[in-house]
Amino acid sequence: DNTASETEIVVLKPNFWKKTGAASMQFSQHAISDNWYKGGESTNALLGELKLTANYDDRQKVQFENSLEIKIGFITTPSDTVHKYKTNADLFRLKSKLGIRAIKNLYYTLAAEFKTQFFSNYKTNTNDLISNFLSPAQLDVSLGMDYKLNKKNYNFSVMGSPFSYTFVYINDKNIIDRSAFNVDADKRVAHMFGSKITSNLDWKICKNISFVSKFDFFTTYDKVIADWENTLNFQVSRYLSTKIFFHTRFDDGVNLTEENDSYFQFKEMLTFGLSYNW
């Protein structure tokens, strides 16, 4: 009995997409008595973060990286007689980067980043509007070469863009100082052309400690705008973490005043709370 048996062949298509997500809700609190010998005031702060990524890598020629980052934080303001709380973090950022391999770790790259905020922010003890939704809204587009190094415990990239364009839009006409966003006082938009260097580091120092750093240096050859964001994350348990965030900025395109007499700016936050990664 010659019976031919049929064998079903299953062909698995490779999945070149990798998707990740991270969310956290963290809290910080500072309490002192009214008669504390050095003065000060009690404050409470709440910070929520969400980051989603969808990255494509065919392991031959093409890499396509996408990320969405949302960060919203509020802090109580006892010394502000007009507002009970203010935002201490407010960010909506969408990034995409398309790379075509040139040689080994070097890619021809087109990158774009859009960012704005959700809520209004006012000057202390006044209703003077500093920033608002789409005020500013910023779009950065860069064309250049990207060097990438992916290892077991860290990912590093640095992109040099001889051709870079930044578009800034102020939607709200009530913004008190448009020059803070490199927009002329009598205008709602700004166009800036120049060169840009961007580096990113995602380093898993050990099982429960990680460090993420992002550095941007943009110049129009008339002005310089540099941002350096750093986050140190201590994963206490699967759902609990502590974060230290430090952000420095240099912008010599802003107008200096008695209140703002330096081109250097910084902000820092230390928070503890819930976190979840998937």
Side-chain angles (χ1 to χ4, degrees), residues 258-274:
E258 290 186 2
E259 294 181 350
N260 177 26
D261 59 356
S262 175
Y263 294 129
F264 286 95
Q265 308 165 30
F266 78 93
K267 66 185 300 184
E268 179 268 337
M269 284 189 290
L270 170 63
T271 57
F272 175 81
L274 301 173

Side-chain angles (χ1 to χ4, degrees), residues 99-138:
I100 307 297
R101 189 191 301 270
I103 55 172
K104 199 173 181 181
N105 297 326
L106 200 60
Y107 292 78
Y108 302 109
T109 300
L110 176 64
E113 177 180 311
F114 172 80
K115 61 184 177 182
T116 187
Q117 64 187 65
F118 293 98
F119 298 99
S120 306
N121 199 9
Y122 297 90
K123 192 174 180 180
T124 302
N125 289 317
T126 73
N127 282 316
D128 293 341
L129 190 61
I130 297 175
S131 57
N132 202 353
F133 178 64
L134 295 179
S135 300
Q138 181 172 318

Side-chain angles (χ1 to χ4, degrees), residues 148-191:
K148 298 181 179 182
L149 192 60
N150 298 319
K151 297 296 183 180
K152 183 179 179 180
N153 63 331
Y154 71 88
N155 296 318
F156 173 74
S157 73
V158 57
M159 179 177 173
S161 308
F163 308 104
S164 187
Y165 166 67
T166 295
F167 170 76
V168 183
Y169 171 66
I170 304 294
N171 180 65
D172 196 321
K173 63 181 180 180
N174 296 314
I175 300 298
I176 58 172
D177 184 12
R178 300 178 190 181
S179 71
F181 312 111
N182 290 281
V183 178
D184 293 339
D186 59 341
K187 296 181 179 179
R188 304 272 288 273
V189 300
H191 304 274

Side-chain angles (χ1 to χ4, degrees), residues 22-26 49 233-243 272-278:
S24 65
M25 182 65 70
Q26 301 195 315
E49 295 184 68
N233 184 60
F234 301 88
Q235 198 68 35
V236 180
S237 68
R238 185 177 179 183
Y239 300 112
L240 294 175
S241 68
T242 295
K243 290 185 179 183
F272 175 81
L274 301 173
S275 66
Y276 182 69
N277 299 312
W278 66 92

Side-chain angles (χ1 to χ4, degrees), residues 30-43 78-79:
H30 177 220
I32 62 174
S33 64
D34 292 338
N35 63 342
W36 182 247
Y37 76 111
K38 286 188 176 180
E41 59 186 12
S42 301
T43 60
S79 61

